[in-house]
PDB file of all heavy atoms in Angstrom:
ATOM      1  N   ILE A 230      79.991 120.217  90.103  1.00  0.00           N
ATOM      2  CA  ILE A 230      80.876 121.252  90.631  1.00  0.00           C
ATOM      3  C   ILE A 230      81.463 122.099  89.558  1.00  0.00           C
ATOM      4  O   ILE A 230      81.780 123.273  89.728  1.00  0.00           O
ATOM      5  CB  ILE A 230      81.931 120.608  91.543  1.00  0.00           C
ATOM      6  CG1 ILE A 230      82.592 121.686  92.432  1.00  0.00           C
ATOM      7  CG2 ILE A 230      82.943 119.812  90.725  1.00  0.00           C
ATOM      8  CD1 ILE A 230      81.693 122.407  93.380  1.00  0.00           C
ATOM      9  N   GLY A 231      81.672 121.558  88.390  1.00  0.00           N
ATOM     10  CA  GLY A 231      82.249 122.315  87.287  1.00  0.00           C
ATOM     11  C   GLY A 231      81.356 123.494  86.892  1.00  0.00           C
ATOM     12  O   GLY A 231      81.846 124.618  86.756  1.00  0.00           O
ATOM     13  N   ARG A 232      80.056 123.209  86.698  1.00  0.00           N
ATOM     14  CA  ARG A 232      79.128 124.282  86.334  1.00  0.00           C
ATOM     15  C   ARG A 232      78.960 125.297  87.476  1.00  0.00           C
ATOM     16  O   ARG A 232      78.882 126.481  87.228  1.00  0.00           O
ATOM     17  CB  ARG A 232      77.782 123.698  85.982  1.00  0.00           C
ATOM     18  CG  ARG A 232      76.759 124.707  85.514  1.00  0.00           C
ATOM     19  CD  ARG A 232      77.224 125.550  84.310  1.00  0.00           C
ATOM     20  NE  ARG A 232      76.165 126.456  83.891  1.00  0.00           N
ATOM     21  CZ  ARG A 232      76.424 127.587  83.235  1.00  0.00           C
ATOM     22  NH1 ARG A 232      77.688 127.951  82.913  1.00  0.00           N
ATOM     23  NH2 ARG A 232      75.425 128.340  82.848  1.00  0.00           N
ATOM     24  N   VAL A 233      78.952 124.797  88.682  1.00  0.00           N
ATOM     25  CA  VAL A 233      78.813 125.704  89.854  1.00  0.00           C
ATOM     26  C   VAL A 233      80.001 126.655  89.848  1.00  0.00           C
ATOM     27  O   VAL A 233      79.803 127.887  90.118  1.00  0.00           O
ATOM     28  CB  VAL A 233      78.726 124.868  91.170  1.00  0.00           C
ATOM     29  CG1 VAL A 233      78.976 125.816  92.362  1.00  0.00           C
ATOM     30  CG2 VAL A 233      77.348 124.221  91.266  1.00  0.00           C
ATOM     31  N   MET A 234      81.187 126.202  89.630  1.00  0.00           N
ATOM     32  CA  MET A 234      82.348 127.087  89.632  1.00  0.00           C
ATOM     33  C   MET A 234      82.306 128.087  88.497  1.00  0.00           C
ATOM     34  O   MET A 234      82.732 129.248  88.639  1.00  0.00           O
ATOM     35  CB  MET A 234      83.674 126.279  89.627  1.00  0.00           C
ATOM     36  CG  MET A 234      83.944 125.559  90.937  1.00  0.00           C
ATOM     37  SD  MET A 234      83.889 126.694  92.383  1.00  0.00           S
ATOM     38  CE  MET A 234      85.199 127.831  92.006  1.00  0.00           C
ATOM     39  N   GLU A 235      81.851 127.643  87.322  1.00  0.00           N
ATOM     40  CA  GLU A 235      81.674 128.602  86.243  1.00  0.00           C
ATOM     41  C   GLU A 235      80.750 129.713  86.602  1.00  0.00           C
ATOM     42  O   GLU A 235      81.009 130.899  86.346  1.00  0.00           O
ATOM     43  CB  GLU A 235      81.123 127.844  85.003  1.00  0.00           C
ATOM     44  CG  GLU A 235      82.120 126.930  84.312  1.00  0.00           C
ATOM     45  CD  GLU A 235      81.420 126.179  83.134  1.00  0.00           C
ATOM     46  OE1 GLU A 235      80.269 126.487  82.819  1.00  0.00           O
ATOM     47  OE2 GLU A 235      82.110 125.314  82.582  1.00  0.00           O
ATOM     48  N   LEU A 236      79.592 129.361  87.228  1.00  0.00           N
ATOM     49  CA  LEU A 236      78.628 130.395  87.603  1.00  0.00           C
ATOM     50  C   LEU A 236      79.159 131.275  88.738  1.00  0.00           C
ATOM     51  O   LEU A 236      78.987 132.494  88.749  1.00  0.00           O
ATOM     52  CB  LEU A 236      77.333 129.676  88.084  1.00  0.00           C
ATOM     53  CG  LEU A 236      76.570 128.933  86.992  1.00  0.00           C
ATOM     54  CD1 LEU A 236      75.451 128.081  87.613  1.00  0.00           C
ATOM     55  CD2 LEU A 236      75.955 129.888  85.973  1.00  0.00           C
ATOM     56  N   ALA A 237      79.864 130.695  89.691  1.00  0.00           N
ATOM     57  CA  ALA A 237      80.387 131.455  90.828  1.00  0.00           C
ATOM     58  C   ALA A 237      81.426 132.427  90.320  1.00  0.00           C
ATOM     59  O   ALA A 237      81.375 133.616  90.701  1.00  0.00           O
ATOM     60  CB  ALA A 237      80.981 130.494  91.847  1.00  0.00           C
ATOM     61  N   LEU A 238      82.364 131.972  89.531  1.00  0.00           N
ATOM     62  CA  LEU A 238      83.411 132.899  89.054  1.00  0.00           C
ATOM     63  C   LEU A 238      82.856 133.884  88.035  1.00  0.00           C
ATOM     64  O   LEU A 238      83.356 135.021  87.988  1.00  0.00           O
ATOM     65  CB  LEU A 238      84.544 132.088  88.462  1.00  0.00           C
ATOM     66  CG  LEU A 238      85.301 131.188  89.461  1.00  0.00           C
ATOM     67  CD1 LEU A 238      86.304 130.275  88.765  1.00  0.00           C
ATOM     68  CD2 LEU A 238      86.039 132.021  90.510  1.00  0.00           C
ATOM     69  N   GLY A 239      81.873 133.491  87.296  1.00  0.00           N
ATOM     70  CA  GLY A 239      81.229 134.409  86.389  1.00  0.00           C
ATOM     71  C   GLY A 239      80.550 135.568  87.113  1.00  0.00           C
ATOM     72  O   GLY A 239      80.532 136.707  86.670  1.00  0.00           O
ATOM     73  N   HIS A 240      79.950 135.244  88.249  1.00  0.00           N
ATOM     74  CA  HIS A 240      79.317 136.259  89.078  1.00  0.00           C
ATOM     75  C   HIS A 240      80.326 137.253  89.603  1.00  0.00           C
ATOM     76  O   HIS A 240      80.066 138.471  89.617  1.00  0.00           O
ATOM     77  CB  HIS A 240      78.571 135.607  90.267  1.00  0.00           C
ATOM     78  CG  HIS A 240      77.967 136.547  91.212  1.00  0.00           C
ATOM     79  ND1 HIS A 240      76.773 137.191  90.936  1.00  0.00           N
ATOM     80  CD2 HIS A 240      78.344 137.000  92.444  1.00  0.00           C
ATOM     81  CE1 HIS A 240      76.434 138.024  91.934  1.00  0.00           C
ATOM     82  NE2 HIS A 240      77.432 137.918  92.876  1.00  0.00           N
ATOM     83  N   ILE A 241      81.488 136.797  90.065  1.00  0.00           N
ATOM     84  CA  ILE A 241      82.545 137.655  90.589  1.00  0.00           C
ATOM     85  C   ILE A 241      83.150 138.501  89.488  1.00  0.00           C
ATOM     86  O   ILE A 241      83.449 139.697  89.680  1.00  0.00           O
ATOM     87  CB  ILE A 241      83.598 136.814  91.279  1.00  0.00           C
ATOM     88  CG1 ILE A 241      83.022 136.207  92.581  1.00  0.00           C
ATOM     89  CG2 ILE A 241      84.873 137.623  91.590  1.00  0.00           C
ATOM     90  CD1 ILE A 241      83.974 135.186  93.220  1.00  0.00           C
TER      91      ILE A 241
END
Side-chain angles (χ1 to χ4, degrees):
I230 195 63
R232 181 58 177 156
V233 165
M234 288 308 298
E235 289 176 5
L236 294 169
L238 294 172
H240 177 77
I241 290 171

